[in-house]
Amino acid sequence: SQQGEEDPQALSIQEGENATMNCSYKTSINNLQWYRQNSGRGLVHLILIRSNEREKHSGRLRVTLDTSKKSSSLLITASRAADTASYFCATDSNGNKLVFGAGTILRVKS
Amino acid sequence: DAGVTQSPTHLIKTRGQQVTLRCSPKSGHDTVSWYQQALGQGPQFIFQYYEEEERQRGNFPDRFSGHQFPNYSSELNVNALLLGDSALYLCASSLPITPEKLFFGSGTQLSVL
């Protein structure tokens, strides 16, 4: 079963705009992670936020976590065509067994 | 330093056959996890190996089995293949000190006809 659910399912923006993706989950977690996947191949780890953290930054990425609402958001600022990919949130509740959502497909038009 | 490598890249099998997929973890990583990703879906956890033992298992039937070798490499075996087993199979490894951060291979695309 998939715990994380991303919203929207698909997002199309112009280069230079910001992209925001949301993730909701159902059970308590140790941490929440975001991954990127290009063309249906391997996933690349983007950022990890622990349950006692509220916000984290990495380059053009900003992740927030609201454990009371069981939700997280990923913000990509100043998007580039190379950011075109699928983005997945994954929750870790039990010893590093990640539970992934269905993903958001992001298309950045140049 | 090579990342996580998987072989083969693509595989075509027919229903009822058996398949073995292979994974070499990133250097220094001792834990290997396997995920199945159906088209248009997120990856689903199959199982995790540590010290040559299956440590955790997802909701997959016994047709799915695995092995981890002393050099930490791993195999995923699927018996009696079904059409629904067609998917991208991803292997991920992690460091002992940061087990929560996974490094994924590029996957094996399995098609069952």
Side-chain angles (χ1 to χ4, degrees), chain B residues 7 21 24 27 40 54-56 62 74 82 87 110:
Chain B
S7 63
L21 311 181
S24 292
S27 178
E54 182 182 289
R55 187 161 68 173
Q56 286 196 77
D62 292 344
S74 177
L82 303 174
L110 172 65

Side-chain angles (χ1 to χ4, degrees), chain B residues 4-47:
Chain B
V4 179
T5 58
Q6 292 187 242
S7 63
T9 305
H10 295 85
L11 201 52
I12 299 174
K13 292 286 188 179
T14 56
R15 281 181 300 172
Q17 286 190 313
Q18 178 264 343
V19 68
T20 297
L21 311 181
R22 295 177 175 82
C23 172
S24 292
K26 194 171 166 63
S27 178
H29 290 196
D30 63 353
T31 302
V32 173
S33 302
W34 287 91
Y35 288 80
Q36 180 197 64
Q37 185 177 21
L39 189 64
Q41 299 295 316
Q44 293 209 2
F45 177 78
I46 303 175
F47 41 53

Side-chain angles (χ1 to χ4, degrees), chain B:
Chain B
D1 175 32
V4 179
T5 58
Q6 292 187 242
S7 63
T9 305
H10 295 85
L11 201 52
I12 299 174
K13 292 286 188 179
T14 56
R15 281 181 300 172
Q17 286 190 313
Q18 178 264 343
V19 68
T20 297
L21 311 181
R22 295 177 175 82
C23 172
S24 292
K26 194 171 166 63
S27 178
H29 290 196
D30 63 353
T31 302
V32 173
S33 302
W34 287 91
Y35 288 80
Q36 180 197 64
Q37 185 177 21
L39 189 64
Q41 299 295 316
Q44 293 209 2
F45 177 78
I46 303 175
F47 41 53
Q48 182 182 83
Y49 277 85
Y50 173 70
E51 292 188 343
E52 303 179 50
E53 296 285 332
E54 182 182 289
R55 187 161 68 173
Q56 286 196 77
R57 190 179 182 90
N59 189 26
F60 279 79
D62 292 344
R63 298 187 297 108
F64 289 77
S65 63
H67 188 77
Q68 185 179 35
F69 298 94
N71 67 352
Y72 307 125
S73 67
S74 177
E75 288 181 349
L76 164 65
N77 301 293
V78 187
N79 294 322
L81 284 167
L82 303 174
L83 296 180
D85 294 331
S86 294
L88 180 67
Y89 289 84
L90 295 161
C91 170
S93 69
S94 55
L95 277 168
I97 56 171
T98 54
E100 70 279 4
K101 185 177 177 181
L102 300 184
F103 290 79
F104 280 84
S106 295
T108 294
Q109 184 65 54
L110 172 65
S111 298
V112 182
L113 306 178

